[in-house]
Amino acid sequence: MTRTPIVVLISGTGSNLAALLTAAGAEDCPYRIVAVIADREASGLDHARAARIPTEMVRLADHEDRAAWDRALAEAVSRHAPELVVLAGFMKLIGPPLLEDYAGRLINTHPALLPSFPGAHGVRDALAHGVKITGASVIEVDPGIDTGRILAQVAVEVREDDTEDTLHERIKAVEQPLLVDVVRRLTAAPEAPRARPRLG
Ligand code: GRF
């Protein structure tokens, strides 16, 4: 079976990456992870190293300005020729080069029920607002902050004694299978495996 190549971008511990890697071990998995790229020395890179998947680091600090970093990131991704790019806890906005090169083929996961609580502190903001239900969203990436089309969501109940950490852990537990499910769906194209996956 020809598997659809994907690249995963991370900044953090990589639990979503680990879930994608585990799922990629299944015989019927329609995708393979061809590279993992981080914008910092993310501990999640260890998951890729353990699985002998090529890793790259494209740090903002190593570039002259944001535009140069945007170009370097787009080039790093393109070198691996993925059909789909998955942001799994990647904590930077995606600039025009990558957005244009991979229009409609970039997805992101977010730990809140968008359009509520976008941005870097979705869990903290939901807790501070006092919502009783929050969750995770997988979305298409557009130029805004978590404003892209929603592809899938799952709800999580907020408990009275929740802290940001306890709530985020429960969200991650459902976010991981949600992301795997969306990536499997988008990369499963039995008639034309190299065709661009259609989102939605
Ligand atoms: C995830 O909840 C993601 O949605 C958010 O940060 C977390 C990253 O977790 N942006 P990990 O690095 O995949 O463990």
Side-chain angles (χ1 to χ4, degrees), residues 12-17 88-91 109-111 168 172 175:
T13 56
S15 63
N16 284 289
L17 166 66
F90 189 66
M91 300 307 284
T109 178
H110 181 75
H168 201 169
K172 281 186 176 193
E175 180 181 29

Side-chain angles (χ1 to χ4, degrees), residues 95-103 106:
L98 192 53
L99 275 177
E100 281 160 21
D101 291 354
Y102 281 88
L106 270 165

Side-chain angles (χ1 to χ4, degrees), residues 166-179:
T166 59
L167 181 56
H168 201 169
E169 280 313 306
R170 287 207 315 291
I171 291 172
K172 281 186 176 193
V174 295
E175 180 181 29
Q176 292 155 17
L178 184 78
L179 180 64

Side-chain angles (χ1 to χ4, degrees), residues 61-136:
D62 295 338
H63 295 82
E64 203 183 329
D65 54 22
R66 181 69 187 224
W69 178 80
D70 282 337
R71 281 194 302 277
L73 182 65
E75 282 161 19
V77 169
S78 298
R79 272 199 297 278
H80 298 283
E83 296 288 334
L84 183 74
V85 181
V86 180
L87 278 59
F90 189 66
M91 300 307 284
K92 284 213 167 48
L93 272 181
I94 297 298
L98 192 53
L99 275 177
E100 281 160 21
D101 291 354
Y102 281 88
R105 296 186 291 156
L106 270 165
I107 65 169
N108 185 26
T109 178
H110 181 75
L113 290 178
L114 293 168
S116 294
F117 312 115
H121 303 292
V123 180
R124 188 190 306 171
D125 294 345
L127 206 51
H129 198 92
V131 295
K132 303 300 175 208
I133 302 280
T134 184

